[in-house]
Amino acid sequence: MFRSIALAALVAATPAAARDVPFNQGWQFHRDGAAFDPARAEPVTLPHTARIEPRIVNDQWQGDAWYAKTFDAPADWQGQTVLLRFEAAMNVADVWVNGTKVTTHLGGFLPFTIDLTPHLTLGAANEIRVKLDNRDNAITGPKPLEQLDFNTYGGLYRGVRLIVKPPVHLTDEMLADRVAVGGLFVTYPAVSADAATIAIAADVANAGTAAAQASVTHRLYDGERLVAEARTTTPLAPGATARNDQRIELASPRLWSPRNPNLYRLVTTVEAGGSTDTTETRIGIRTLAITREGFSINGEAMFLRGVNRHQEYPYVGYAISPQADYRDAKAIKEAGFDYVRLSHYPHSPAFMAAADELGLVLIDAIPGWQFVNPDPAFRAQVMRTCRDMIRRDRNHASVIAWECSLNESAMPKDMVADFHRIVHEEYPGNQAWSAGWQNDGYDIFLQARQHRMQHYETPDVPYVVSEYGDWEYYAQNAGFAQDSWGDLKEEARTSRQALGAGEARLLQQAINVQEAHDDNLSTPAFADGYWAMFDYNRGYADDLEHSGVMSLERLPKFAWHFFRSQRSASERSDLYDSGPMVAIASYWTATSNPVVRVFSNADEIELRLNGRSLGRTPPTRDRIGKRLASPPFLFNVGGFAPGALEAIAYIGGVEVARDRVDTPGAATGYCVAIDDAGVPVGSRDLVFLRAHLRDTAGRPVPTHNARFAFTAPQGWELVGDTSAQSEGGIASVLIRAPDSPSAPSSFAARPIGSALTSLGPCTG
């Protein structure tokens, strides 16, 4: 599927304005130096990372990074408002316009906007220069890198937008700095299956020299069909800003939920003096209830099975494409999760939009990790970050709570009180919840099972198991079934298992996950979040943190299939793989466990070995699976016999799914494929090029290790390492698509030090 991506999620990530000028191309960049030096600079396109890092980042670059861009400001911009919006810049940004310094922005995870209007020379070339400093910063946090559990990377790693607006326009929510408005703020005072009230606060400015009557029109579309409209006028004196409040009453609304993520398009037009400013916002109509008794959306009670995500990609860090963000969200949903904790910082607008579209519930978090600075400047910065995060993300249907909290940090009580107050100032009404690490002062208590010997104390507020499944097994301070594998070596007990660690260790990770998730269901929590979705790099360690249910290169482990099995077979979507599933957690070799574990959301499983039935059974509800939605199915095969294991899943006596695992032979060949994960490749997209090991019969060989050197397809670019070691029978490198991608004419991988035969492109 190689065509320009046109996902609605990505459109929503960059709302339409009066005129958006393409601004991600044509930048010049270099690292280090007291000033920008054109002689040292190289051309780059945003998003951009300050340095391509190694796969295992044991010495992340920190220092000054310089960016510059020259652009024409046409004379017809006279009288217009010209805004420059940086979606993120790591970490302290100084910006000059035509040689004049116009701002310093602190913090690398959220947008900031500059009004360029007074600084431009119209009818001429203009220059933007940006200096970024991503060194440790005690005011922005989250912690010195060498003590931090994740990497922060650097550069202009998200896009930059140049927006030209007429004198009377909708304000930018980051620049306006107005509590509970600024830009557009959409809430839902009344919601039912029969009717919904949509309240829309629009912040309208008059940058002109004459008084104006601003006509503000909101049109609500269901797809392309106009379903409702509202219009009023607001008088504006020169230089004034005013809030325009309107309501839309909608009959029989299609409500948003994780199982039915229905979205509407809200098109807002501000008109005055013959000019218009138009913004499109995707909204989801829903009403939440979060109490000590649980979570419900639109009156439907739900337990939110979830996961934590770091947004890192290999080599490029945070500088990933919008399509790659969408693939991450899709992989999370396909894994059976409905909830994501955005650990430990605000994630990209593209990921937020993908969550809206796919039906992922989010807890949005400010940067923080085991660090509190008593300096008043630090306190002011984290409070500012809380406000900015809410202003950026408040219109996303996916966000249910605001983690304005410094993760795993002993915050003073008055700091907690200020965080809680800001959440409710920025999002007034009964549909906002503050969430935090401490069980005192927040609406929701984020309790980490893996960091406390005692699983929980009876909470006074709603409760989420924010992290589980990793540290307690790594540190051996929890995990109630650990006496059952007391003879295992420490590294074999942990949930930190690389994709290439082998069948036994990947099974151990899946057992740990099962036990911990089952135990979470015994608590009053309304949600839990496994640590973590993807393997990731850490600032303080010289290895990968391998607790992910997918590898750093986004390949699934057995634990990924376990979580898939917890989603109901009745839930189906055209946007991601769903419905009935079955997966055999075995490579079926001579060293395989004779007790075969099968994950499925079906009623019964029949297991066959070389065509012979080994029985048909319901799931096994043992002591670490008694509360699960779908416990694993266990079959004691008695001993190994080479051949084919086949699992057949039944619901109501009817076959609904099959999975097959064949005993692999020796690896003799390999095929090569670009993995777009079912998401069409877009301009300058990042995808993985993979070499898959095969035996003489064409079967996958997950037990063999080989190293490959890769050649990028014509017009494509290898990013980072040009060679890779296989894990679980697959070697992966990262490649970047050209500006106008099409199906590549050729790509190649060459085995290093082994005589494997190329089978060409992978099929099937």
Side-chain angles (χ1 to χ4, degrees), residues 371-590:
F371 177 76
V372 177
N373 183 349
D375 188 329
F378 172 82
R379 189 187 187 108
Q381 173 66 21
V382 295
M383 299 300 163
R384 173 81 260 173
T385 302
C386 174
R387 291 190 187 276
D388 285 351
M389 177 179 71
I390 296 171
R391 292 173 187 180
R392 188 195 73 163
D393 294 338
R394 62 197 175 191
N395 292 329
H396 285 285
S398 50
V399 179
I400 64 164
W402 308 98
E403 188 179 336
C404 287
S405 174
L406 302 174
N407 180 63
E408 300 178 12
S409 306
M411 296 168 288
K413 285 189 175 182
D414 62 334
M415 176 180 278
V416 171
D418 282 349
F419 276 137
H420 175 75
R421 173 181 54 81
I422 286 171
V423 168
H424 290 278
E425 284 179 356
E426 292 289 338
Y427 202 120
N430 64 355
Q431 292 289 288
W433 286 266
S434 65
W437 170 257
Q438 294 176 193
N439 186 19
D440 184 13
Y442 286 107
D443 294 321
I444 298 171
F445 177 34
L446 302 178
Q447 196 275 353
R449 176 190 195 270
Q450 63 186 21
H451 290 303
R452 294 180 171 94
M453 292 288 288
Q454 184 177 10
H455 190 292
Y456 72 94
E457 299 172 4
T458 302
D460 298 324
V461 296
Y463 167 58
V464 170
V465 181
S466 63
E467 301 174 15
Y468 75 92
D470 166 38
W471 181 255
E472 64 264 46
Y473 296 96
Y474 183 80
Q476 298 293 289
N477 64 359
F480 305 118
Q482 289 181 58
D483 56 346
S484 300
W485 49 81
D487 59 338
L488 293 180
K489 294 180 180 179
E490 182 178 344
E491 63 269 20
R493 301 181 187 189
T494 178
S495 301
R496 298 184 182 181
Q497 302 296 349
L499 180 64
E503 177 186 309
R505 291 193 179 186
L506 293 178
L507 275 172
Q508 188 62 52
Q509 182 196 41
I511 291 170
N512 293 355
V513 165
Q514 174 185 337
E515 178 199 67
H517 179 57
D518 179 81
D519 181 57
N520 292 341
L521 299 175
S522 72
T523 76
F526 70 81
D528 67 359
Y530 174 68
W531 189 269
M533 182 64 199
F534 307 110
D535 294 347
Y536 65 96
N537 277 283
R538 299 172 289 168
Y540 64 15
D542 292 343
D543 61 357
L544 292 178
E545 209 279 32
H546 282 300
S547 65
V549 297
M550 296 185 95
S551 69
L552 181 65
E553 286 78 21
R554 276 53 177 173
L555 289 170
K557 306 176 189 178
F558 290 155
W560 187 80
H561 295 289
F562 163 75
F563 281 116
R564 285 178 64 212
S565 72
Q566 300 309 296
R567 184 184 298 284
S568 171
S570 65
E571 294 183 34
R572 296 177 181 268
S573 174
D574 295 333
L575 298 176
Y576 54 88
D577 187 26
S578 54
M581 60 76 59
V582 60
I584 301 169
S586 174
Y587 296 154
W588 199 236
T589 67

Side-chain angles (χ1 to χ4, degrees), residues 605-635:
I605 297 295
E606 179 186 7
L607 189 67
R608 296 177 182 175
L609 176 58
N610 296 325
R612 178 175 61 88
S613 178
L614 302 178
R616 185 164 157 176
T617 182
T620 304
R621 291 197 176 273
D622 55 16
R623 70 188 182 103
I624 62 169
K626 57 188 176 183
R627 304 177 188 89
L628 298 177
S630 298
F633 298 75
L634 304 181
F635 293 86

Side-chain angles (χ1 to χ4, degrees), residues 140-195:
T140 66
K143 197 176 187 178
L145 187 63
E146 66 178 13
Q147 303 167 22
L148 189 63
D149 189 53
F150 54 95
N151 286 70
T152 52
Y153 300 101
L156 291 177
Y157 68 92
R158 293 180 188 153
V160 177
R161 297 170 57 206
L162 186 70
I163 310 162
V164 183
K165 288 176 173 281
V168 178
H169 56 265
L170 190 72
T171 65
D172 178 282
E173 78 279 8
M174 309 311 296
L175 183 62
D177 195 20
R178 284 161 63 81
V179 172
V181 60
L184 204 68
F185 187 10
V186 185
T187 55
Y188 312 97
V191 175
S192 72
D194 299 322

Side-chain angles (χ1 to χ4, degrees), residues 277-293:
D277 178 22
T278 300
T279 298
E280 181 174 315
T281 308
R282 287 196 320 168
I283 64 170
I285 302 169
R286 83 292 191 269
T287 184
L288 308 176
I290 303 176
T291 68
R292 290 177 61 185
E293 285 64 50

